[in-house]
Amino acid sequence: MDAAASELLSRARLSVVDGRFELHLDGWPLLLVDIEEGTVGVNDLRAATMFAADATLPSTHGHLCMRAGVVGDELYLLVGEAAAVFLVPDAHRATHVEVKVVESATGRLLLDRIVRYRQMPVGAVAVSPAIRRIEG
């Protein structure tokens, strides 16, 4: 595994809370996989409620094995044989990530969304692209 992939994987934490799988990225809640409900919820700080965007999973028969890993700049989460979730941090906005949920059996895209999953780190300054063009 290369250094960039290792760094991305170190930023993620997967835990089980009340029978649901939660994935945090950089300490911020990003995904909630509910096996009983059969959903993958995605947290977007721009939404009115947490995990407002979601994808319905094909039947998991109440059980599954979760696996996580990294390929290049992409973090993936395999939700049993039901679906794969791909997370790609935005290279230009440190607060955003692209989330794709793909049904494993058919390759059908269940969710494709860019979300704001975190606030800017304390002390970080966001530079407008317009200012970058003037400076560059």
Side-chain angles (χ1 to χ4, degrees):
M1 185 180 305
D2 67 18
S6 293
E7 188 270 333
L8 178 57
L9 192 57
S10 72
R11 294 168 47 199
R13 187 186 82 223
L14 186 62
S15 58
V16 180
V17 178
D18 297 327
R20 300 180 297 185
F21 293 89
E22 289 186 5
L23 182 115
H24 287 73
L25 187 60
D26 299 322
W28 293 81
L30 179 57
L31 295 177
L32 180 65
V33 180
D34 190 323
I35 306 310
E36 289 187 23
E37 295 291 324
T39 59
V40 174
V42 180
N43 194 25
D44 188 341
L45 295 182
R46 298 170 295 190
T49 60
M50 287 185 71
F51 304 108
D54 67 357
T56 302
L57 297 173
S59 176
T60 60
H61 304 294
H63 67 282
L64 53 85
C65 177
M66 301 283 285
R67 295 186 190 119
V70 177
V71 175
D73 64 347
E74 198 167 277
L75 177 66
Y76 67 85
L77 180 67
L78 301 178
V79 185
E81 294 180 9
V85 181
F86 300 96
L87 307 168
V88 181
D90 190 311
H92 304 290
R93 296 180 292 179
T95 57
H96 290 69
V97 66
E98 180 180 11
V99 180
K100 291 185 180 188
V101 180
V102 179
E103 184 177 3
S104 296
T106 64
R108 184 171 55 109
L109 190 60
L110 303 174
L111 180 79
D112 185 5
R113 186 178 193 112
I114 295 176
V115 299
R116 180 176 182 162
Y117 74 98
R118 63 181 261 179
Q119 299 292 349
M120 284 294 288
V122 175
V125 177
V127 179
S128 164
I131 293 174
R132 278 192 219 129
R133 282 193 297 273
I134 292 170
E135 291 175 345

